[in-house]
Amino acid sequence: MALELKGFHHLTAVSARIQENYRFYTQTMGMRLIKRSVNQDDVRAYHLFYSDAVGTPGHDLTFFDWNVPSEQRGTHSVVRTGLRVNGQQTLEYWKERFSELGVAASEITERDGRLVLDFEDPEGQRLSLIDDGGTGDPVVPWDRSPVPAEHQLRGLGPITMSVPSLRSTDIILTRVMNMQHVRQYALPESPKHEVHVYQMDGVGPHAELHVAVQPDLPFTQPGAGGVHHVAFRTPNDDQYAQWIERLNQFGVRNSGAIDRHYFRALYFREPNGILFEISTDGPGFAVDEDPATIGEKLILPPFLENRRAEIEKNLKPIE
């Protein structure tokens, strides 16, 4: 059986205004803060994870808290993050909700055969709500969300990245990561740019990576409102080990095995410089917290616990 990725595991972006970020994703978007921790490589920064009620793999939108200037948009980057919902009525609910809360959003339009509603978070991260028609793994609604259960987010996908040249990226996606190129379409707001759709294991936007070819754009300058990396799902430690072996066989420089306590991680850059991660589904976010109160207090992985006082001193309160 071919080694196949199961869709997206999480996407991590950058915020320079973490208090506003927390309010937007919990109160406007209705997500649960499923883990309140720190960047394990830079403990001066929060690492916040927003998800459904239980942190279902494929649902996590996460943020590093770095005091940096805003991203300067361009190519060599992830340019739009899809958040799935089910049905036109739900998109209409969100259109009205955004209007009431003062969040600028597009009209409901069609892109690549699906209804979408584009919007941005307070720091300019480009997001879309996408009608997934009910595909993808079941999610667990958050019963304390301000968003009714039937309209809550259903997870990540598709995620769109921009590259100036497709050839080398295509080789990594198809030959190394075992994705299939299934179709292409013209970007509606810029028809001269084609978007190539790559599919992982499964059918639906949760399992699609969209790659826009935009050679005329400048290089992106990373910053707040931009995406740091995108992570893909592998179900268990056995397949995770096989991915490490596979990257090494193809000569792809990578991080090697890294234990993030809540999942195993493997990092590498695709040929246009965008940071990818392959992550295991488990052990999950409840490994060190009571599911009833998860996300309410700062949790540190065991190897950082002896530095708690120093770490807490440098973090801003979030309410």
Side-chain angles (χ1 to χ4, degrees), residues 62-235:
T62 94
F63 289 87
F64 294 147
D65 162 36
W66 284 331
N67 185 22
V68 294
S70 297
E71 175 195 44
Q72 295 181 35
R73 295 176 178 176
T75 189
H76 295 276
S77 62
V78 173
V79 294
R80 188 167 293 280
T81 300
L83 301 170
R84 295 180 288 109
V85 296
N86 188 5
Q88 183 171 355
Q89 285 188 336
T90 291
L91 286 173
E92 291 170 351
Y93 163 86
W94 278 99
K95 176 69 176 171
E96 183 176 348
R97 179 174 177 81
F98 286 155
S99 177
E100 291 173 351
L101 297 177
V103 178
S106 71
E107 296 299 322
I108 297 171
T109 59
E110 185 174 312
R111 181 188 302 128
D112 188 33
R114 300 188 182 106
L115 293 177
V116 302
L117 175 62
D118 295 338
F119 65 105
E120 296 181 1
D121 78 1
E123 295 177 89
Q125 184 177 351
R126 287 163 284 182
L127 302 161
S128 295
L129 296 178
I130 295 173
D131 178 9
D132 71 355
T135 59
D137 290 343
V139 296
V140 182
W142 171 223
D143 61 7
R144 289 162 54 188
S145 171
V147 177
E150 67 271 24
H151 297 315
Q152 290 182 24
L153 306 182
R154 294 171 42 79
L156 294 166
I159 288 170
T160 304
M161 61 187 223
S162 171
V163 300
S165 171
L166 183 63
R167 185 174 182 276
S168 296
T169 295
D170 177 86
I171 291 172
I172 285 288
L173 297 181
T174 58
R175 299 185 189 177
V176 179
M177 299 176 74
N178 282 337
M179 298 186 192
Q180 293 187 9
H181 183 286
V182 292
R183 62 182 180 276
Q184 59 199 67
Y185 63 94
L187 201 61
E189 61 270 30
S190 179
K192 68 179 181 180
H193 293 135
E194 285 194 329
V195 182
H196 295 255
V197 179
Y198 293 85
Q199 185 173 297
M200 293 168 267
D201 184 22
V203 176
H206 68 286
E208 291 177 3
L209 178 67
H210 292 206
V211 183
V213 182
Q214 298 176 301
D216 52 328
L217 296 190
F219 276 43
T220 190
Q221 297 296 316
V227 171
H228 186 269
H229 66 267
V230 56
F232 303 90
R233 288 178 63 188
T234 194

